[in-house]
Amino acid sequence: MSNNFNLGIASAQSSNPLPSWNNGTAKQKIIEFVEEAIDQSSPNYVKPSDRIATFDQDGTLWVEHPFYTQGIFALDRVKILAPEHPEWQNQEPFKTILENNQEAISQFTEKELVEIIAATHAGITTKAFIKIVKDWLTTAKHPRFDKLYTELIYQPMLELMQYLRENDFKTYIVTGGGQEFVRTYSEDIYGIPPEQVIGSSIVTEYEYQDGEPVLMRKPQVFFINDHAGKPTGINLFIGKQPSIAVGNSDGDREMLEYTQAGNGKRLMILVHHDDPIREYAYGPSDNLPDTKVGRFSNELMDSAKQRDWIIISMKQDWKQIFPF
Amino acid sequence: MSNNFNLGIASAQSSNPLPSWNNGTAKQKIIEFVEEAIDQSSPNYVKPSDRIATFDQDGTLWVEHPFYTQGIFALDRVKILAPEHPEWQNQEPFKTILENNQEAISQFTEKELVEIIAATHAGITTKAFIKIVKDWLTTAKHPRFDKLYTELIYQPMLELMQYLRENDFKTYIVTGGGQEFVRTYSEDIYGIPPEQVIGSSIVTEYEYQDGEPVLMRKPQVFFINDHAGKPTGINLFIGKQPSIAVGNSDGDREMLEYTQAGNGKRLMILVHHDDPIREYAYGPSDNLPDTKVGRFSNELMDSAKQRDWIIISMKQDWKQIFPF
């Protein structure tokens, strides 16, 4: 018993954390922050109940190119549901999807995406929805890597979340993606339970089906947890300002700002996708190709530099990208 | 070290739980449920990650009569803000409040209450709001007991929550009251951290004040966490069906139904206020006086009996009501 107990203590301070990270400023600053946060004699000590770390998902914890995984799920659902909706043949944005017009699909606006989500994610119970998502995730594969989407998670981020949890940080996902969608796999692949997933949601209503209570998903947006929605969502779900916030795109700027605005030292991190060989490269910052999916603008880069946020170069900082 | 460790194990199974509860069916059923839930060899074992217990607040964890504490706070705020709103002198429901018409105040509808909440809880940052509430709670006293509202908590419920936490249940407040209001004191008085408080909320927006990010409370309802809103809120915030749900009024019926609809054995509990000497008595069930504040209808009582929910009689089941 005492052996296990001692092992517990040893792993809590982890002698070799973040093995998939190259030695460099990013890794060094992260470890320095955590060591100070758990050191009661440090001015930067953070009491355990305030050790909150929030992670964006798409592009921060797993691959988001060429298109958000949930977006691909939604496109697949449109095709499956099309026979019940003959009007979609002539109605945008469904027409474009059914015609498989990849170029136009990649140009969908936020508003069109929301419309597709509402049409494909609603009209069923949460229970039925969870089953549909789980089934899809066991078969759908990424077009380039030919792997399940749930395999395309970043090994260095798994290590970072694990390292933080060992040091009593509570790790949260704070995603623009659908909360119920992400919850179907977050515990299995990231070790993050449903109650620590904050995301966008549609209106859900309590109803009865054959006398049994069910939660029915309605085709109406309830909350968009992106950009300024992220700090709002963090306050709504956690009620505390994070110690650490990690993102990768313009949609994460407000979350990082809000984190930094808390008292004392905080850690703000942005993943920069600059590795076209092992993953993808997109900006437009640093003259990388522009994108609508996980855009990292010049303004975000300027802001990050000015505010001393950590920029992770996937190419330089990560020894390995995926667990496989 | 090993001594402390052993003490930890001993207290986790607590040889004398619920000391302020009289021996009776309610106490016995609760202990039986918990002992089975933690016993891996029991068919009613509940794995730790599913050990979720949700508690209503007003009337379940603390006194709600003659009027909800947050309601009294709101009435006080109307009086304080009145000079800035001369129009309130002739505008309902504010006129009634400023005239101190207690009888009419006690008859306010849900809609009027929401209107008052919006007018008194909004137009300020969350940070400013939290300070106002905290200050008020250190001085405002209950008209009958002449105690701070935060002292009027039920000792048997503190013991129940503690007993559940010792057995790895995560305890949540699921209240129709304001989430941000309850969070200001929930950790101090109940040991429940902000991230485990689910409540009603108004729209909150991320803005800048003098270049600093703030969350601004808007005079618009975002979510009403009462009646059918409770299961919706539980799904939104936790994403799991509780193992245990505790309430005391018609507003908790759906939460208990939803809890019971989960697989396997679940524990549904209602507190019945039948002790006019030590606290209050109201129904109208069991021929107790009718009320608009924490109404326990005959329909709820019938439903509870039919569905084998535990009814706690404050008079019979609780040795002691308050910690003092």
Side-chain angles (χ1 to χ4, degrees):
Chain A
M1 187 64 91
S2 79
N3 251 352
N4 283 336
F5 195 62
N6 287 337
L7 270 176
I9 293 287
S11 85
Q13 301 185 342
S14 207
S15 58
N16 181 26
L18 314 182
S20 300
W21 293 63
N22 287 315
N23 291 321
T25 317
K27 177 173 178 173
Q28 188 192 321
K29 283 191 175 174
I30 291 169
I31 292 176
E32 186 184 291
F33 182 90
V34 172
E35 288 185 344
E36 288 179 354
I38 63 170
D39 176 2
Q40 292 204 40
S41 69
S42 164
N44 297 323
Y45 173 71
V46 180
K47 67 175 193 289
S49 60
D50 285 342
R51 291 186 202 155
I52 303 290
T54 55
F55 290 82
D56 168 57
Q57 193 204 206
D58 293 304
T60 297
L61 298 179
W62 75 353
V63 172
E64 66 185 348
H65 266 225
F67 199 47
Y68 303 114
T69 303
Q70 192 176 1
I72 300 179
F73 165 78
L75 301 183
D76 280 2
R77 286 292 295 163
V78 167
K79 290 169 195 160
I80 290 166
L81 295 171
E84 301 167 30
H85 294 275
E87 73 281 10
W88 286 357
Q89 302 294 335
N90 298 305
Q91 184 189 328
E92 292 297 357
F94 307 103
K95 184 168 177 286
T96 292
I97 296 169
L98 297 175
E99 286 167 352
N100 250 320
N101 184 343
Q102 294 295 329
E103 180 52 29
I105 288 171
S106 74
Q107 298 298 314
F108 276 152
T109 62
E110 199 90 7
K111 191 177 155 290
E112 284 167 321
L113 292 177
V114 167
E115 210 170 321
I116 295 161
I117 296 283
T120 57
H121 288 55
I124 49 177
T125 65
T126 54
K127 203 172 160 185
F129 178 71
I130 289 166
K131 189 177 172 347
I132 289 168
V133 174
K134 284 192 169 183
D135 287 348
W136 183 81
L137 286 169
T138 59
T139 53
K141 291 199 168 177
H142 189 277
R144 172 175 158 194
F145 295 106
D146 194 34
K147 295 270 182 192
L148 298 178
Y149 290 97
T150 48
E151 293 178 282
L152 295 175
I153 53 182
Y154 305 136
Q155 176 64 23
M157 282 302 185
L158 297 180
E159 293 169 7
L160 175 55
M161 290 191 289
Q162 182 59 25
Y163 173 57
L164 292 173
R165 290 194 287 257
E166 281 168 356
N167 289 288
D168 293 330
F169 280 84
K170 218 163 162 176
T171 51
Y172 283 84
I173 289 174
V174 178
T175 175
Q179 179 165 293
E180 205 81 74
F181 184 87
V182 177
R183 279 174 169 174
T184 64
Y185 55 83
S186 63
E187 188 139 33
D188 287 345
I189 73 174
Y190 304 127
I192 295 186
E195 63 268 33
Q196 285 161 229
V197 175
I198 302 170
S200 299
S201 50
I202 57 178
V203 170
T204 303
E205 282 176 9
Y206 184 76
E207 297 180 356
Y208 300 90
Q209 263 183 7
D210 306 322
E212 279 300 299
V214 294
L215 291 167
M216 186 60 78
R217 296 168 59 81
K218 302 284 169 179
Q220 187 190 338
V221 170
F222 177 66
F223 181 63
I224 298 290
N225 191 56
D226 206 10
H227 294 276
K230 289 201 174 191
T232 302
I234 289 169
N235 183 63
L236 180 67
F237 283 83
I238 314 179
K240 295 171 183 170
Q241 256 163 308
S243 279
I244 301 174
V246 190
N248 79 299
S249 75
D250 289 4
D252 299 311
R253 188 173 59 79
E254 290 85 350
M255 174 169 76
L256 270 63
E257 269 179 12
Y258 177 66
T259 298
Q260 190 163 30
N263 294 329
K265 193 174 173 182
R266 310 267 164 162
L267 195 67
M268 286 64 61
I269 301 174
L270 288 172
V271 177
H272 201 208
H273 292 258
D274 59 358
D275 192 337
I277 309 294
R278 295 188 299 171
E279 206 245 11
Y280 290 96
Y282 46 96
S285 59
D286 286 355
N287 298 313
L288 296 175
D290 203 351
T291 179
K292 287 207 166 195
V293 177
R295 193 165 194 270
F296 192 133
S297 65
N298 288 310
E299 294 70 27
L300 180 64
M301 184 60 88
D302 290 348
S303 184
K305 285 179 178 162
Q306 216 169 39
R307 293 160 171 270
D308 205 24
W309 296 348
I310 296 175
I311 310 284
I312 294 170
S313 157
M314 289 182 83
K315 197 170 164 182
Q316 310 284 344
D317 288 313
W318 288 358
K319 231 176 261 179
Q320 185 186 337
I321 307 273
F322 301 115
F324 51 82
Chain B
M1 189 63 90
S2 78
N3 252 351
N4 283 336
F5 195 63
N6 287 337
L7 272 175
I9 292 288
S11 85
Q13 302 185 339
S14 208
S15 57
N16 181 26
L18 313 182
S20 299
W21 293 62
N22 288 315
N23 291 322
T25 317
K27 178 173 177 172
Q28 186 191 324
K29 281 192 176 175
I30 291 169
I31 292 176
E32 184 184 293
F33 182 89
V34 171
E35 288 185 345
E36 288 180 352
I38 64 170
D39 176 2
Q40 293 202 40
S41 70
S42 164
N44 297 322
Y45 174 71
V46 180
K47 65 176 196 283
S49 61
D50 285 341
R51 290 187 202 154
I52 304 290
T54 56
F55 289 81
D56 169 56
Q57 193 206 206
D58 294 304
T60 297
L61 297 179
W62 75 354
V63 172
E64 66 184 348
H65 266 227
F67 199 46
Y68 303 115
T69 303
Q70 191 175 2
I72 300 178
F73 166 79
L75 300 183
D76 280 3
R77 288 291 295 162
V78 166
K79 290 168 196 160
I80 290 166
L81 295 171
E84 300 168 32
H85 294 275
E87 74 281 10
W88 286 356
Q89 301 294 336
N90 299 303
Q91 183 188 327
E92 293 297 357
F94 306 103
K95 184 168 177 287
T96 292
I97 296 169
L98 297 174
E99 286 166 353
N100 250 321
N101 184 342
Q102 294 296 330
E103 179 51 29
I105 288 171
S106 73
Q107 298 297 315
F108 276 152
T109 61
E110 196 91 6
K111 192 177 155 290
E112 285 167 320
L113 293 176
V114 167
E115 211 171 320
I116 295 162
I117 296 282
T120 57
H121 288 56
I124 49 177
T125 65
T126 55
K127 204 172 158 183
F129 178 71
I130 289 166
K131 189 177 171 345
I132 290 167
V133 175
K134 284 193 170 183
D135 288 348
W136 183 81
L137 285 170
T138 60
T139 54
K141 290 199 169 175
H142 189 277
R144 172 175 159 193
F145 295 105
D146 195 34
K147 295 270 181 191
L148 298 177
Y149 291 96
T150 48
E151 294 179 280
L152 296 174
I153 52 182
Y154 304 137
Q155 175 65 22
M157 282 303 185
L158 297 180
E159 293 169 8
L160 175 56
M161 289 191 289
Q162 182 58 27
Y163 173 56
L164 292 174
R165 290 193 287 258
E166 281 168 357
N167 288 289
D168 293 330
F169 279 84
K170 220 164 163 176
T171 51
Y172 283 84
I173 289 174
V174 177
T175 175
Q179 179 165 292
E180 205 81 75
F181 184 87
V182 178
R183 278 174 169 173
T184 65
Y185 56 82
S186 62
E187 186 139 32
D188 287 346
I189 72 173
Y190 304 126
I192 295 187
E195 64 269 32
Q196 285 162 230
V197 176
I198 302 171
S200 299
S201 51
I202 57 178
V203 170
T204 303
E205 280 176 9
Y206 184 76
E207 296 179 356
Y208 300 89
Q209 264 183 6
D210 306 322
E212 279 299 299
V214 294
L215 291 167
M216 186 60 79
R217 296 167 60 80
K218 301 285 170 178
Q220 189 189 337
V221 170
F222 178 65
F223 181 64
I224 299 290
N225 190 56
D226 206 10
H227 293 275
K230 289 201 173 188
T232 303
I234 289 169
N235 184 62
L236 181 69
F237 283 83
I238 314 177
K240 295 171 185 169
Q241 256 164 306
S243 279
I244 300 175
V246 189
N248 79 299
S249 75
D250 288 4
D252 299 310
R253 188 174 57 80
E254 290 85 349
M255 174 169 76
L256 270 63
E257 269 179 11
Y258 177 65
T259 298
Q260 189 163 31
N263 294 329
K265 192 175 173 181
R266 311 267 164 161
L267 195 67
M268 286 65 60
I269 301 174
L270 287 172
V271 177
H272 200 208
H273 293 260
D274 58 359
D275 192 337
I277 309 294
R278 296 187 300 173
E279 207 245 11
Y280 290 96
Y282 44 98
S285 58
D286 284 357
N287 297 313
L288 296 174
D290 203 350
T291 179
K292 285 207 168 194
V293 177
R295 191 166 196 271
F296 193 133
S297 65
N298 288 310
E299 293 71 27
L300 180 63
M301 184 60 90
D302 290 347
S303 184
K305 286 180 178 163
Q306 214 169 41
R307 292 160 170 270
D308 205 23
W309 296 350
I310 296 175
I311 310 286
I312 295 171
S313 157
M314 290 182 83
K315 198 170 166 184
Q316 312 285 344
D317 287 314
W318 288 358
K319 230 176 262 182
Q320 185 186 337
I321 307 273
F322 301 115
F324 51 82

